[in-house]
Amino acid sequence: MSTEVCTVPFTRFSPRVDAVYRGVAAACTTATWSHQRRDYGELRHQVSAWKKALSSLTNYRTEEKVVRRVVENKLQILEQEIKEQNKCQNLALPKETFEKTLEELREKYTIKDKTLLIQTLAAITFIVIVFFLHSLPQMQSLSLGWSALLGTTMLLVLADKDDLQPILSKVEWSTLLFFAALFIFMEAITKLGLIQWIGGLTEELILTVDEKYQLPVAILLVLWVSGITSAFVDNIPLTSMMVRVVTSLGTNPNLALPMAPLIWALSFGACMGGNGTLVGASANVICAGLAEQHNYKFTFKEFFRIGAPMTIGHLVTVSAYLLICHCVFTWH
């Protein structure tokens, strides 16, 4: 494979173009330019990364035109390689190649700063302990948010970094802004009474059922309402509201429902429902942000196509489990 595409005349680049050019030069000197067959997913990932670099360049400056031409040539080579692999019947890598790649990954991603690792573990341990102590009445004046900030400050003090710019550049600002907007939205719909309306409607439906069927209906309603709702609404405020509904149902003298099955139904529903959509759980949003940083972007629709069937399957399984445990064997 020719390396002519790597030849770039000596030019004094601007910082932004220089960063792209350095990436091109690094790629030219690595094995990515060899004739060896690479993993299909890796090729697609590289194409996505190079397209992202290409989109950051314009045609207005000579230096950007030079780098743009190099990137376009690189893209053509990668796309041609993808076409060649599409023609192959077997895309599986040999076992020796897999083991070699695994060994290279182990060497590349070793622990480089053990002192920082110990300091980080100390900060995380501090945060977890404070979270557990938050259940004590004396500690409830210290919010969970401030507890996390104290742990972060502790790590910054222990690490004693002079330059914070590299640290701040790795903060997921887009994810933090998304969470801020999400919590504002959740507070708004809470003030409007939407969540309370859902809880009240659930309670009314259970009260209309015959007494001997109230427990299975209550279990299924709490499970599925919390599961489906938490797929589209953040599960923290939803659970806070549903706890009041479950407590009301469990202490209602007209129903005489045991509390334990309803608590388990709420716990399973809020947990499983968060897997249904990209915004259903905080972990989903964080994962999406980190994946996008590494050019593995997936949309709400793509996540929903996989997450929704899995969530429904989980809820069906949990429904059968709870009905058997609490309605057939009455283990409560």
Side-chain angles (χ1 to χ4, degrees):
M1 186 177 295
S2 174
T3 58
E4 293 179 358
V5 293
C6 300
T7 305
V8 181
F10 176 78
T11 312
R12 186 177 180 83
F13 294 149
S14 63
R16 182 172 66 86
V17 180
D18 183 64
V20 178
Y21 172 67
R22 288 178 185 274
V24 175
C28 293
T29 57
T30 59
T32 57
W33 291 85
S34 66
H35 289 283
Q36 297 177 355
R37 175 182 292 179
R38 286 170 289 170
D39 181 71
Y40 183 77
E42 178 194 348
L43 287 173
R44 296 296 299 269
H45 170 59
Q46 287 194 22
V47 168
S48 176
W50 285 109
K51 285 183 177 179
K52 187 175 181 180
L54 184 63
S55 64
S56 66
L57 299 171
T58 65
N59 286 319
Y60 300 116
R61 303 178 64 175
T62 304
E63 59 186 45
E64 295 194 34
K65 288 181 180 179
V66 173
V67 178
R68 187 180 182 87
R69 187 164 58 250
V70 175
V71 175
E72 288 174 347
N73 290 338
K74 172 64 177 176
L75 271 173
Q76 290 178 1
I77 293 172
L78 289 174
E79 289 174 349
Q80 181 62 33
E81 193 169 346
I82 288 177
K83 290 180 181 179
E84 292 175 358
Q85 286 210 14
N86 284 334
K87 297 177 183 178
C88 300
Q89 297 296 326
N90 184 15
L91 296 178
L93 291 173
K95 182 179 179 182
E96 296 78 11
T97 307
F98 168 76
E99 292 176 349
K100 182 180 178 181
T101 304
L102 187 61
E103 189 63 31
E104 290 175 354
L105 290 174
R106 287 173 178 169
E107 293 177 359
K108 182 179 179 181
Y109 295 104
T110 55
I111 298 174
K112 300 178 181 178
D113 193 340
K114 293 185 178 180
T115 304
L116 181 60
L117 174 64
I118 295 173
Q119 293 168 344
T120 305
L121 290 175
I124 293 175
T125 304
F126 170 78
I127 294 173
V128 172
I129 291 174
V130 174
F131 280 179
F132 277 109
L133 292 177
H134 191 263
S135 58
L136 300 176
Q138 297 84 352
M139 295 290 293
Q140 289 184 359
S141 58
L142 181 65
S143 67
L144 296 178
W146 279 109
S147 302
L149 286 175
L150 283 175
T152 306
T153 306
M154 173 184 172
L155 179 58
L156 289 174
V157 172
L158 291 175
D160 193 21
K161 296 292 184 181
D162 296 328
D163 186 11
L164 292 179
Q165 187 61 36
I167 299 174
L168 294 176
S169 64
K170 294 182 180 180
V171 175
E172 287 285 330
W173 295 110
S174 58
T175 304
L176 291 177
L177 288 174
F178 174 83
F179 277 124
L182 179 64
F183 291 144
I184 292 171
F185 172 74
M186 288 305 307
E187 185 65 21
I189 64 174
T190 301
K191 294 294 184 181
L192 291 173
L194 176 62
I195 296 180
Q196 288 83 351
W197 176 79
I198 294 174
L201 183 62
T202 304
E203 187 173 352
E204 290 177 6
L205 288 173
I206 295 173
L207 289 171
T208 58
V209 179
D210 188 74
E211 184 176 349
K212 63 179 180 180
Y213 299 116
Q214 283 182 349
L215 180 57
V217 170
I219 290 175
L220 293 176
L221 272 178
V222 172
L223 175 67
W224 283 87
V225 168
S226 60
I228 294 175
T229 308
S230 65
F232 300 94
V233 176
D234 191 76
N235 50 16
I236 296 175
L238 174 71
T239 305
S240 301
M241 179 275 302
M242 288 298 292
V243 164
R244 294 195 291 269
V245 174
V246 168
T247 304
S248 175
L249 293 173
T251 56
N252 192 325
N254 298 324
L255 294 176
L257 294 174
M259 185 75 72
L262 303 180
I263 293 295
W264 279 113
L266 173 60
S267 177
F268 279 121
C271 180
M272 301 300 179
N275 300 325
T277 66
L278 188 58
V279 298
S282 304
N284 300 349
V285 180
I286 295 173
C287 177
L290 292 174
E292 188 172 0
Q293 273 193 348
H294 297 277
N295 298 299
Y296 290 102
K297 185 178 180 180
F298 50 89
T299 63
F300 181 92
K301 184 178 179 181
E302 291 171 341
F303 190 98
F304 181 78
R305 192 184 301 123
I306 299 174
M310 291 182 62
T311 299
I312 293 174
H314 290 157
L315 291 177
V316 170
T317 304
V318 172
S319 298
Y321 169 76
L322 291 176
L323 290 176
I324 292 172
C325 290
H326 298 289
C327 296
V328 177
F329 295 104
T330 62
W331 292 341
H332 52 264

